[in-house]
């Protein structure tokens, strides 16, 4: 592929990021922590090491993952910080959250990251690659953390003031519906019906989170998963730049987020659910993204080769491996999730407003 194309789109993102960082100066005025704690749920887009301890084929605790992260390869599927890490910094946390699997009594007061690579909204999603915490399991883990806080005699009512981020759903497509050799969902449902069933389950899980005290919850919609180097290689693109069937599925799913947050907020007058419209942030003109090569050298379908030397110009790469965004892309997404530049970036609130509302 012509490298100038990658550079062009990389530059577009770069200009974007500069503008956002410039905006941002206004919002990081002090290191004051804006909420008492912060909890993260999701998949490899926000996993910070939970899979390291599981029997899973999805792990990123080896170089060149973490090449730009202060602590090196921690299990993050990125060269640097995830969107959840960056949002934590905006909120004013002075340290990254601990992974659930390793969190100490002292650490859990500030919050926990439950995310697990390969998992999904559906229980079976990702099972062909071994251990993972499904979203249902992550909710159970959260319940056990709340019990632990209670036993430690912490004031449990503060968890209503905390911030919650959920970034999940991609695997229910790429590691379930679009993997018919391992999963039967595509034989049981057409895509429209599947998305409905998926959303119904997600909605139920989010109500469970609400019942456990969550009031400020940001939900990340999906990126154009059909434009990842992984998908372009694996799926039929029919001469188009991206695997359109996957993008269509992601779009069907994304269109359900607005009614989802409306329903959750209307049913529970004290709830503040919001959704982050990744389409608005990354593809504002609906532009079909140019082909973007991964930064690291790939083995198998998408993972970086252990010990390989990553590309030097990481600032020009949208993807780090063949499936996961680079830190640069994560900065773009987190920045506008925190402070919306366009009204459609976050609905009905951006995180900046969410963390300031008091009950
Ligand atoms: C517990 O936290 C709530 C909410 O922040 C606060 O209103 C309440 O006074 C606290 N209770 C105690 C015993 O500190
Ligand atoms: C589909 O697969 C699940 C396990 O992933 C299994 O429990 C279920 O019985 C299967 N359903 C059909 C109709 O084959
Ligand atoms: C998300 O943003 C895109 C692009 O701005 C817009 O077309 C779309 O309607 C938005 N989605 C929702 C549900 O608001």
């Amino acid at each position: 592929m012509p490298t100038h194309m990658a550079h062009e789109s990389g530059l577009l993102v770069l200009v974007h990021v500069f503008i956002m960082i410039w905006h941002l100066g206004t919002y990081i005025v002090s290191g004051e922590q804006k909420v008492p704690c912060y909890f993260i749920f999701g998949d490899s887009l926000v996993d910070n090491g939970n899979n390291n301890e599981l029997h899973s084929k999805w792990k990123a605790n080896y170089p060149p993952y973490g090449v730009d992260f202060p602590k090196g390869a921690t299990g993050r599927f990125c060269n640097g910080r995830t969107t959840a890490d960056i949002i934590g910094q905006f909120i004013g946390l002075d340290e990254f959250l601990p992974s659930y699997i390793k969190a100490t009594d002292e650490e859990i007061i500030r919050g926990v990251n439950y995310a697990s690579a390969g998992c999904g909204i559906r229980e079976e999603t990702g099972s062909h690659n071994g251990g993972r915490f499904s979203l249902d399991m992550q909710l159970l883990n959260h319940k056990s953390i709340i019990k632990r806080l209670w036993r430690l005699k912490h004031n449990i009512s503060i968890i209503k003031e905390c911030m919650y981020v959920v970034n999940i759903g991609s695997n229910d497509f790429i590691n379930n519906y679009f993997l018919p050799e391992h999963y039967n969902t595509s034989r049981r449902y057409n895509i429209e019906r599947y998305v409905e069933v998926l959303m119904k389950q997600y909605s139920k899980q989010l109500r469970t989170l609400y019942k456990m005290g969550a009031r400020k919850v940001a939900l990340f919609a999906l990126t154009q998963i059909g434009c990842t180097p992984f998908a372009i290689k694996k799926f039929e693109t029919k001469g188009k730049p991206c695997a359109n069937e996957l993008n269509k599925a992601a779009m069907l799913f994304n269109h359900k987020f607005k009614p989802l947050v409306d329903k959750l907020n209307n049913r529970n007058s004290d709830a503040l659910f919001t959704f982050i419209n990744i389409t608005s942030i990354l593809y504002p003109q609906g532009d079909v993204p140019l082909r973007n090569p991964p930064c690291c050298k790939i083995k198998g379908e998408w993972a970086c080769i252990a010990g390989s030397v990553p590309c030097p110009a990481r600032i020009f790469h949208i993807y780090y491996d063949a499936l996961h965004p680079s830190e640069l892309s994560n900065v773009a997404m987190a920045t506008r999730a925190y402070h919306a530049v366009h009204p459609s970036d976050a609905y009905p609130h951006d995180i900046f407003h969410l963390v300031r509302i008091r009950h």
Side-chain angles (χ1 to χ4, degrees), residues 319-340:
Y319 297 104
Y320 189 59
D321 62 19
L323 189 56
H324 299 99
S326 62
E327 183 179 56
L328 175 82
S329 306
N330 288 339
V331 167
M333 289 186 272
T335 307
R336 282 174 65 169
Y338 189 70
H339 192 89

Side-chain angles (χ1 to χ4, degrees), residues 155-158 161:
N155 183 352
I156 292 299
S157 46
I158 64 150
E161 304 291 338

Side-chain angles (χ1 to χ4, degrees), residues 14-15 43 51-52 99 153 208 250 255:
L14 194 63
V15 169
D43 57 26
N51 273 35
N52 298 352
S99 55
K153 302 200 166 37
T208 303
H255 277 161

Side-chain angles (χ1 to χ4, degrees), residues 253-311:
F253 186 66
N254 288 346
H255 277 161
K256 305 244 182 240
F257 273 79
K258 191 165 183 275
L260 172 72
V261 298
D262 281 341
K263 190 175 83 183
L264 291 164
N265 290 336
N266 291 340
R267 271 198 197 170
N268 314 291
S269 60
D270 59 345
L272 292 161
F273 282 86
T274 200
F275 97 91
I276 307 305
N277 186 345
I278 296 296
T279 309
S280 171
I281 296 173
L282 293 182
Y283 330 102
Q285 269 80 50
D287 15 305
V288 176
L290 299 166
R291 285 181 182 242
N292 288 287
C295 167
C296 70
K297 294 188 185 69
I298 302 302
K299 74 160 195 269
E301 290 192 320
W302 54 262
C304 295
I305 297 178
S308 60
V309 178
C311 65

